[in-house]
Amino acid sequence: MGYAEFTQLLAVEKDYKKAGNARDKYMGGNLNWMINKFSDRKIIVWGATTHLSRNLDKVAVYDVETDKFPLLAPEFITMGNYTHETNNSHIYTIGFSAYGGKLNDWTKGKAVDLIEPLDGSIEDLLGEVGNDFGFVNYRSDLAPWMSQPFVSKPYGNGNVLAIWPEVFDGLFYIKNMEPSSYNP
């Protein structure tokens, strides 16, 4: 039912918002089922940061042209929302971000440079420390400013504003990202 509904909404009705919400609802239901079925085990889910995060409806992305932060997806309910509603104590979600380097841009079919992090962003601050890797545990005792909106780059290399402890439980940082490559 889930795939059929997703395909109908996407291909026939061209309603990308409803299709995305339907897909994430089914993904969340599947993960909740797995968590309950295998409650005595640890489960590692590797997925797109967007789907695993929660409260995406409160996340704003930087628009260079207007120099403002409009909401990224105000009506999008992610798989992370569905799983955290019922299994919050069993889930730890990690976002990934980088200071610089390159990524493969599938829309252009080639590797492109990462954009510069905005001054005061978490990547800017971690970059000043100079470590190649870092981890921020958003569930630990945080500095007061981390409970307020601040900028990070975990979604497709864009500067994004959010109260990150409400979106992820932790952030894995690398200084220099390399684009993925195909090795047959």
Side-chain angles (χ1 to χ4, degrees):
M1 174 67 175
Y3 184 72
E5 180 182 357
F6 172 71
T7 303
Q8 172 72 24
L9 288 167
L10 189 64
V12 178
E13 297 180 31
K14 307 270 191 243
D15 192 331
Y16 303 106
K17 191 182 306 177
K18 278 187 184 175
N21 280 339
R23 177 182 55 188
D24 274 59
K25 179 180 178 182
Y26 286 109
M27 290 185 333
N30 288 338
L31 183 53
N32 281 331
W33 176 85
M34 192 179 298
I35 290 168
N36 293 326
K37 174 81 173 165
F38 302 104
S39 61
D40 60 333
R41 297 185 175 178
K42 289 188 187 245
I43 301 169
I44 297 174
V45 176
W46 191 282
T49 302
T50 303
H51 298 293
L52 296 173
S53 60
R54 56 192 185 275
N55 299 317
L56 199 61
D57 59 328
K58 298 177 185 172
V59 171
V61 65
Y62 182 66
D63 183 339
V64 177
E65 292 179 19
T66 64
D67 194 31
K68 294 184 179 175
F69 284 91
L71 289 176
L72 176 65
E75 297 175 20
F76 188 44
I77 303 169
T78 64
M79 176 181 75
N81 282 98
Y82 289 110
T83 55
H84 276 268
E85 284 176 8
T86 55
N87 289 296
N88 186 35
S89 63
H90 300 287
I91 295 175
Y92 190 95
T93 306
I94 301 171
F96 289 80
S97 190
Y99 181 89
K102 293 184 177 290
L103 64 78
N104 278 332
D105 185 333
W106 61 270
T107 64
K108 296 177 181 167
K110 64 179 182 175
V112 298
D113 291 329
L114 292 177
I115 62 170
E116 290 281 324
L118 292 179
D119 289 343
S121 69
I122 194 74
E123 292 80 10
D124 179 50
L125 298 172
L126 291 168
E128 286 181 19
V129 173
N131 294 337
D132 289 339
F133 304 97
F135 186 79
V136 180
N137 180 4
Y138 289 141
R139 284 194 179 178
S140 66
D141 291 332
L142 299 172
W145 67 268
M146 293 184 108
S147 297
Q148 303 296 318
F150 64 94
V151 175
S152 187
K153 299 190 327 171
Y155 300 120
N157 186 38
N159 284 296
V160 180
L161 183 69
I163 302 173
W164 292 105
E166 296 178 4
V167 179
F168 306 125
D169 300 306
L171 179 74
F172 187 84
Y173 161 86
I174 58 175
K175 183 177 179 183
N176 192 32
M177 184 165 79
E178 295 294 326
S180 57
S181 61
Y182 176 69
N183 293 319

